[in-house]
Amino acid sequence: MRPHITVIGGGVAGLTAAITAAESGAKVTLYEAHHTLGGRARTAEGPYKTNEGPHALYNGGPLWSWLNQRDLLGPVMAVPPLEGARFRFHRGGALRRTPPLAMVKLGLRSTAKAPVDADFLTWATGQVGEAGARAAANYMAVALFHHDPGSLSAPFVQERLRRVVKLPPEAHYPRGGWASVVDRMAARAWNLGVRIETTERVTALPENGGPVIVATSLEAARRLLGDDDATLTWDSGRTVLFDLAVRTRKGDPFVISDLEAPGWIERFTAQDPTLAPAGEQLVQSQFPIAPHESKADGIARAERLLDLGFPGWRERTTWRREAVAAGRTGALDRPGTTWRDRPAINRGNGVFLAGDQVAAPGLLAEVAFNSGLEAATLALRAKKITGREGREGLDLNRA
């Protein structure tokens, strides 16, 4: 008989796990508490197709290759060259067209030379000086969503800096938002026979005897697994999400990166006009805030940069949305730790963990993907399934 694997959570990690297990012949049931799949990769319904914070898909990573091999990638948009020329850096109290040379040089440094025990700011200051190091740390708000990126592990930040500044850019954008990728993944799972149950909140592990993959947030996993000692914890960011739709104005910047404090503003319709109605532009911002700061503090910083880069934006605004994302922006590694120190995927007794804060490598959504792939591979091995897809699982011991 085909063994049965249960997946709890229908985000990128859960869908990856379900597809991987089904491709190797397992029967799979996926439960999702929300009425739609996607988790943090959901795209809002309606005329303004926003994601939960700025989202990009990096073509140098494993998720891109995996999707492409299965014809799940779909149309993706690169940044048009003209829009790339509208990249602005906030430094010295003004918007500038070029970043500090020291920051560019730092982006070329090898990650291998960054010591795990050092924080990024200390190490980077020794490489290019304090001004360049601080600018680079603040620039990494785009991928870290943390109020003090310089305090994080040096190789953790440097690896992401190298990928973010790489030319040509790795970042691409699924046409129509991430929901288009999620829909294709869901269709793939359905065609493989995965049983998908939405609006189904699981409050206890199933008793069917098969492996269970918990692909939820760590907070939800703690409740589900009865983690009374709170071992399933890891640092994540806290950031203000500020989304706007504004009437189109010629000359609006594509990106404003704040190099004086972590913050990022991006006009997403620059690469994908379908995200807003004709004549309007969709602008998504994220401004990390410290534990003592409020949402209003983050909004105020965003508005100051909008005043510099988007003249008349208040009068042009047709829609806005504000939120705070706390503990749901991915894993952050402190000095002395690496991704291997995060909560382990194999929890024992046939239970496996997946998500963007667990022990798997990668940039942003790649952590969820890698952990979902590894969780499915371990579950398949537990049931002695050794199909081709099962053998393709990520070897985290050598990653």
Side-chain angles (χ1 to χ4, degrees):
M1 295 179 61
R2 295 167 59 201
H4 184 263
I5 294 176
T6 299
V7 178
I8 302 172
V12 170
L15 285 169
T16 299
I19 291 170
T20 301
E23 285 178 341
S24 287
K27 293 177 63 177
V28 181
T29 301
L30 183 149
Y31 296 98
E32 166 56 46
H34 199 268
H35 73 282
T36 59
L37 299 171
R40 295 168 197 165
R42 290 188 187 96
T43 301
E45 300 175 356
Y48 307 109
K49 297 178 173 60
T50 59
N51 295 117
E52 187 176 348
H55 280 44
L57 185 60
Y58 289 78
N59 66 0
L63 175 56
W64 178 286
S65 299
W66 187 86
L67 291 169
N68 196 37
Q69 289 169 0
R70 289 159 176 78
D71 198 26
L72 303 178
L73 190 58
V76 291
M77 319 295 287
V79 177
L82 179 60
E83 296 292 352
R86 292 175 176 154
F87 207 115
R88 299 292 182 265
F89 302 90
H90 180 233
R91 56 190 181 97
L95 297 186
R96 306 181 187 278
R97 295 177 180 273
T98 58
L101 181 59
M103 184 183 108
V104 176
K105 289 181 176 179
L106 185 62
L108 302 177
R109 295 286 197 275
S110 171
T111 301
K113 294 182 179 180
V116 172
D117 292 335
D119 66 82
F120 176 78
L121 184 61
T122 300
W123 171 76
T125 296
Q127 299 293 306
V128 298
E130 185 177 355
R134 287 192 180 279
N138 291 331
Y139 179 75
M140 287 314 297
V142 65
L144 298 176
F145 303 88
H146 188 260
H147 69 282
D148 186 11
S151 68
L152 303 176
S153 163
F156 174 77
V157 179
Q158 180 63 14
E159 178 188 8
R160 284 147 184 77
L161 177 63
R162 282 176 57 86
R163 291 189 63 185
V164 169
V165 304
K166 186 177 179 181
L167 293 175
E170 284 192 30
H172 288 68
Y173 304 83
R175 182 177 177 84
W178 271 70
S180 60
V181 176
V182 170
D183 288 346
R184 284 187 286 273
M185 293 179 73
R188 170 71 172 171
W190 182 271
N191 290 334
L192 288 167
V194 175
R195 178 185 169 191
I196 298 175
E197 299 286 348
T198 57
T199 63
E200 192 71 36
R201 186 174 297 278
V202 177
T203 58
L205 294 180
E207 299 179 356
N208 60 16
V212 179
I213 297 172
V214 180
T216 66
S217 67
L218 287 185
E219 181 181 3
R222 286 195 297 272
R223 294 194 299 267
L224 187 60
L225 301 182
D227 181 33
D228 298 329
D229 296 328
T231 60
L232 296 180
T233 59
W234 199 257
D235 283 339
S236 187
R238 179 170 175 261
T239 191
V240 169
L241 305 177
F242 184 29
D243 303 330
L244 291 173
V246 297
R247 286 187 290 274
T248 300
R249 172 188 171 275
K250 186 177 181 180
D252 280 343
F254 163 50
V255 163
I256 300 177
S257 173
D258 193 348
L259 301 186
E260 297 186 355
W264 186 271
I265 299 174
E266 184 167 349
R267 183 165 51 88
F268 271 68
T269 38
Q271 59 269 10
D272 186 359
T274 69
L275 300 180
E280 298 182 43
Q281 300 287 315
L282 178 63
V283 180
Q284 291 200 261
S285 311
Q286 61 98 353
F287 284 78
I289 50 178
H292 66 276
E293 291 183 300
S294 66
K295 181 173 76 171
D297 294 323
I299 295 295
R301 288 177 49 214
E303 289 181 339
R304 285 194 292 270
L305 281 195
L306 287 165
D307 288 339
L308 285 174
F310 291 79
W313 67 270
R314 289 177 176 84
E315 294 74 23
R316 293 192 282 141
T317 296
T318 58
W319 171 86
R320 67 185 283 166
R321 183 180 67 174
E322 304 170 7
V324 174
R328 60 180 200 267
T329 58
L332 300 171
D333 295 346
R334 297 285 182 178
T337 66
T338 72
W339 62 264
R340 299 175 190 277
D341 299 303
R342 301 174 198 160
I345 293 174
N346 191 344
R347 310 307 301 178
N349 298 318
V351 177
F352 305 93
L353 199 62
D356 60 6
Q357 286 182 262
V358 303
L363 172 63
L364 298 173
E366 294 170 5
V367 177
F369 162 75
N370 283 332
S371 64
L373 187 65
E374 180 72 0
T377 301
L378 293 173
L380 293 167
R381 288 175 182 169
K383 286 297 183 180
K384 302 296 188 296
I385 301 175
T386 56
R388 177 182 63 84
E389 288 80 5
R391 292 196 302 270
E392 287 179 352
L394 179 69
D395 187 347
L396 296 184
N397 292 320
R398 291 188 289 180

